[in-house]
Amino acid sequence: MSSALTDLFPHPIVQAPMAGGVSVPHLAAAVCEAGGLGFLAAGYKTADGMYQEIKQLRGITSRPFGVNLFMPQPEYGDRGAVEIYAHQLAGEATWYDTELGDPDSGRDDAYDSKLAVLLDNPVPVVSFHFGVPSREILESLRRAGTFTLVTATTAEEALAVERAGADAVIAQGVEAGGHQGTHRDNPETDGTGIGLLSLIAQVRETVSIPIVAAGGIMRGGQIAAALAAGASAAQLGTAFLATPESGANAVHKQALTNPLFVRTELTRAFSGRPARGLVNRFLREHGPYAPAAYPEVHHLTSPLRKKAAASGDAQGMALWAGQGHRMARELPAGQLVEVLAAELDLAKTALSGKGDLR
Ligand SMILES: Cc1cc2nc3c(=O)[nH]c(=O)nc-3n(C[C@H](O)[C@H](O)[C@H](O)COP(=O)(O)O)c2cc1C
């Protein structure tokens, strides 16, 4: 299915924005040059840090690209629960020879100043995670010539995205690596995440805007399935995390296919919001009682994660990964786009009855 979004880039393949230094300009540029849509992740950055990355990306590609923003979080998490969690993490701080971070280090992720930069210097595509921007903001981005996308994890959230006036919705299945883009974190809905194929079908019957499918996609055949189910494009994170251009820590990249890490889980252990990562010691020990307090827990654990990464300790890092992590291929990002596109073509031929479906 063609849409204004997929007219921007030849292959229906989006490289997911990955905050934490993963989706660096060289990764996004390689994807764009190969005919996919590359993304920068503004999450956790300053507005100027975001702007510098945009300038860098523009210096290495003239193709359309996207920038992703985190929505500000509306209210403080349970302060008492954060304090208790801080006590429980005291041993980790001693072990890593550091202090815990300040849980009050900001909760709006410099949203307003980042938007001001994106309105002054419009980019082709902007996507939002963790909530829905106001109708006014989506409208002003449209007037600036920017195509807007918002993540949804249920059909109800997709409806909210369409009603706010976004140009397209990212349907993020429960298989997805990293944070679920749920609009409002609610522990009562833990364990109710929807698998991608089911989610695409539900969203397709609920909204009429184009859908970008995300979660567990590692092969072109899966992209074909997502398109057949009603999506216009697929967004892949973990698959691109493994590429040489990705800025992910080498330990994180290696862990994706290391047989030591056999499964992933959604956890609040590192940030206070459900995010999917490889099950390691930190996740196992702290996940079961970590409070629903994002971004306080994110700030709290930041020095621990940095120290673990600096010492190459995979058991203390946030090893974000989708359920398909073991299928990661270490191909250069541009080549990965080409291989995925070729696999997609093959699968499309099979689906149309002109090929062998086996
Ligand atoms: C390391 C990592 C970081 C991520 N950071 C972001 C982010 O900053 N913004 C966002 O919208 N999604 C983020 N995501 C989620 C992706 O957009 C996407 O939903 C997910 O990667 C799809 O699942 P997959 O990893 O199985 O392909 C991240 C995912 C990973 C693996």
Side-chain angles (χ1 to χ4, degrees), residues 20 86 117 129 149 176 287:
V117 170
H129 210 52
L149 289 151

Side-chain angles (χ1 to χ4, degrees), residues 16-20 22-23 41-44 68-70 127-129 151 170 172-173 175-180 214-218 235-239 241 252 276 319-325:
M18 288 179 277
V22 179
S23 53
Y44 313 134
N68 173 254
L69 300 186
F70 287 166
S127 72
F128 297 86
H129 210 52
T151 306
I170 300 165
Q172 188 195 34
E175 305 93 327
H179 283 95
Q180 287 283 296
I217 299 177
M218 306 299 286
Q235 176 163 303
L236 289 71
T238 305
L241 193 152
H252 189 170
R276 185 172 295 284
L319 300 172
W320 302 139
Q323 286 181 341
H325 64 96

Side-chain angles (χ1 to χ4, degrees), residues 114-353:
K114 284 174 187 170
L115 270 176
V117 170
L118 294 173
L119 287 169
D120 275 356
N121 308 273
V123 297
V125 180
V126 170
S127 72
F128 297 86
H129 210 52
F130 298 149
V132 191
S134 69
R135 170 171 291 281
E136 293 69 34
I137 285 172
L138 291 169
E139 187 49 43
S140 37
L141 283 167
R142 176 173 300 114
R143 276 200 303 272
T146 298
F147 191 95
T148 55
L149 289 151
V150 182
T151 306
T153 58
T154 62
E156 292 74 22
E157 287 183 349
L159 192 58
V161 170
E162 182 175 64
R163 284 186 174 153
D167 293 313
V169 60
I170 300 165
Q172 188 195 34
V174 74
E175 305 93 327
H179 283 95
Q180 287 283 296
T182 319
H183 295 178
R184 226 181 157 76
D185 182 23
N186 177 4
E188 282 175 24
T189 58
D190 281 2
T192 62
I194 304 168
L196 181 61
L197 265 187
S198 181
L199 181 64
I200 298 170
Q202 291 174 38
V203 171
R204 186 66 295 150
E205 294 196 0
T206 308
V207 301
S208 54
I209 52 177
I211 301 171
V212 175
I217 299 177
M218 306 299 286
R219 297 287 185 264
Q222 291 171 282
I223 301 176
L227 301 189
S232 299
Q235 176 163 303
L236 289 71
T238 305
F240 285 105
L241 193 152
T243 64
E245 290 91 340
S246 122
N249 184 297
V251 173
H252 189 170
K253 288 186 189 182
Q254 285 153 13
L256 294 175
T257 49
N258 182 339
L260 256 184
F261 298 101
V262 288
R263 61 191 192 89
T264 62
E265 219 174 75
L266 282 174
T267 185
R268 288 190 176 81
F270 298 100
S271 73
R273 239 184 188 273
R276 185 172 295 284
L278 300 173
V279 175
N280 62 2
R281 180 194 62 78
F282 193 99
L283 188 155
R284 248 192 322 269
E285 288 181 9
H286 304 296
Y289 58 82
Y294 174 89
E296 287 90 345
V297 173
H298 165 79
H299 296 314
L300 202 62
T301 66
S302 171
L304 302 178
R305 288 181 278 119
K306 282 192 186 128
K307 277 283 194 144
S311 55
D313 177 6
Q315 297 298 335
M317 296 163 59
L319 300 172
W320 302 139
Q323 286 181 341
H325 64 96
R326 297 183 82 166
M327 297 173 80
R329 299 178 277 204
E330 259 181 70
L331 296 172
Q335 213 179 316
L336 178 58
V337 172
E338 285 163 17
V339 169
L340 288 166
E343 290 170 350
L344 168 61
D345 278 347
L346 214 61
K348 274 183 174 165
T349 312
L351 280 172
S352 68

Side-chain angles (χ1 to χ4, degrees), residues 75-101:
E75 70 212 22
Y76 280 87
D78 180 341
R79 301 213 63 87
V82 175
E83 276 168 33
I84 293 169
Y85 196 50
H87 279 297
Q88 280 160 326
L89 293 181
E92 296 281 352
T94 309
W95 173 256
Y96 287 111
D97 193 19
T98 184
E99 304 280 314
L100 292 174

